[in-house]
Amino acid sequence: MITRYAAELATAGTTAALGIVTMIGATEYGIGWGKSGPEPGTFPFYTGLIVALASAGIVAQTVVARGKFTTPFLTAAQLRPVLAFSLPIVAFVIASLVLGLYVATALYLLATMVFQAKYRLRVALPIAVAVPIGLYLLLEKAFQVSLLKGPLEGMLGL
Amino acid sequence: MDGIASLLHGFGVALTAYHVMLMVIGVMLGLLVGVLPGLGAPNGVSLLLPLTFTMDPVAAIILLTSTYWGALFGGSTTSILFNIPGEPSSVATTFDGYPMAKQGRATEALSYAFLSAGFGALLGVVLITLLSGWVARFALKFSSPEYFAVYFLAFASFIGLGGASPLKTIVSIGLGFSLAAVGMDSISGSLRLSYGFDSLVPGISFLVAVIGLFGLGELVVTIEEGLKIDGIRARLSLRDVLRTAADMPRHWLALLRSGAIGCWMGITPGGPTAASFMSYGLAKRFSRKGARFGQGEPEGVISPETADHAAGTSAMLPMLALGVPGSATSAVMLGGLMIWGLNPGPMLFIERPDFVWGLIASMYLANVVAVVLVLTTVPMFAAILRTPFAVIGPIIVVVCFVGAYTVASREFDLWLALAFGVVGYIFKKLDYPIAPMVLAMVIGDKAEDAFRQSLIMSKGSPAIFWANPLVTTLMSLGLLLLLWPLIARLVAVARRPIP
């Protein structure tokens, strides 16, 4: 189980780090007064500083009121469905980059429906094929918006 | 009243067969988006926006705003029938709407919700019609320091009045500004904060951020809470609707009070969600039937619904007249305006009156279209929610990633959407407000430009932000709101009796 306390600290720590990274990145472009007014890094430098300071404030608040944050952030029982939902999404993104969005969509829908929701193939397959075809007709035909394509579309000459 | 004349001209622009068709499509898409868990108004508008890049701006904004109205209505439907708020702003509707539906009064609850929502929206549009021209004329006097002060005021009111932890709101805003700074600097042209990654050079799109933050993040939260769909069937008959409509005037006080709260919260960036909760809370406290709230009291449906829609509509006023959006969805639309090559703010009223007044007129029409459509299609949309989440969930995921890709046809945006999904999930669970971050991403560059130009005007002296009565008032109000959480705490400590 992850406690709310740990999650609060980890998140505030991460945002503080992002703030500092922004500040460091901003110094590259100058944070002072240049020939044409404030240099390009000035504004991001201060927004980074604000993020870092506010995050530090959250850390302080959390540590001081530690007793208030003992509730769970994520229990073991919740972790399973969350991972079962999110890991296939990561696989879907990777598949999209390799096979294109249409093919990845079909595979992703088929896999989640058959392996997770235990649908029969003859129910799942038509849905998994119909969705990308519908998307293709809507985007490429109706709106002339081109989607990420892979080797299969190349073979089909689309 | 030049407002009325302009409005009539606007009706001339909006009332074409093509535009009415777009309203119908927009409202239907909005209803769908509002009904589906994980997809909401900001998300629906972000997903549609890339498809409008090639459209005429008037047609495009009509499509997007109609989607917005549809989403607001769709959210209420699921709140009442399923006890699942389709939108954060319709959470308060579940308190009395679902109990009513459980008592077999679903039709009544839905009719109350839609009719009061329509009334709230109407109030919002009337307000826009009457005030926008005046606000825009007033804002024409603004130069860079005043603009920066208005932006400052907008963000300060999020911190002071937003209801979330002030420090978390500040982090959210600051991150939004930092993300907006990535890529090309609009004044010097130099490439900032790319850290040597080519993928970061074009900047980070707020659309991809919205899709991840609101769409993917919300879906995971839904999964985690374990979606139990226990719906109540409803069929709306015209007779029931008319009977409820005849009963509406009895609730005039609740309608007006909630409408006023909604308009106020929409213009100041409190947003529809805060407006609906506040309205419900006040109604519970001041209504004669307050004690029966939570057990299926019509006023408990009317109050949040009126305020929700009044706020959603009136949030368009500061967006149009000042270029400062009042809600996450209007922030996305503001971004759309800039993408279509329009310059939101007072000059828009002079340069593109057809656009501004066409939009305002379309808001009257589209809300009528929305009320009619929502009353006739409720059973159909309720059926969609009965399809198992195992099918709908992954399809929503696909739509989100397809939407993220269509923004700029960049593979990197798929990863970005995923990353923002993680951020959205964590922020939602830890009560970091997300809307201020989106606002900061959209108007980040404009706020920065205003800040830098002000300093250039004053040769580096920050005294320019207190140089005249107008900018002083705005900045002081902003500071007051910014420090409000601190002031409130000090007052509470001072009032505490000394033991």
Side-chain angles (χ1 to χ4, degrees), chain B residues 363-403:
Chain B
M363 287 159 77
Y364 284 95
L365 297 170
N367 272 299
V368 175
V369 170
V371 173
V372 172
L373 277 180
V374 76
L375 284 170
T376 45
T377 58
V378 159
M380 192 180 100
F381 283 104
I384 291 173
L385 253 194
R386 289 198 178 81
T387 38
F389 192 77
V391 179
I392 286 283
I395 291 179
I396 298 174
V397 170
V398 167
V399 170
C400 285
F401 280 102
V402 166

Side-chain angles (χ1 to χ4, degrees), chain A residues 3 12 27 36 40 45 61 80 83-84 89-91 94 102 111 138 142:
Chain A
T3 60
T27 50
S36 57
F45 179 81
Q61 269 184 350
R80 249 187 74 88
L83 283 183
I89 299 182
V90 179
I94 295 169
Y102 293 113
L138 178 76

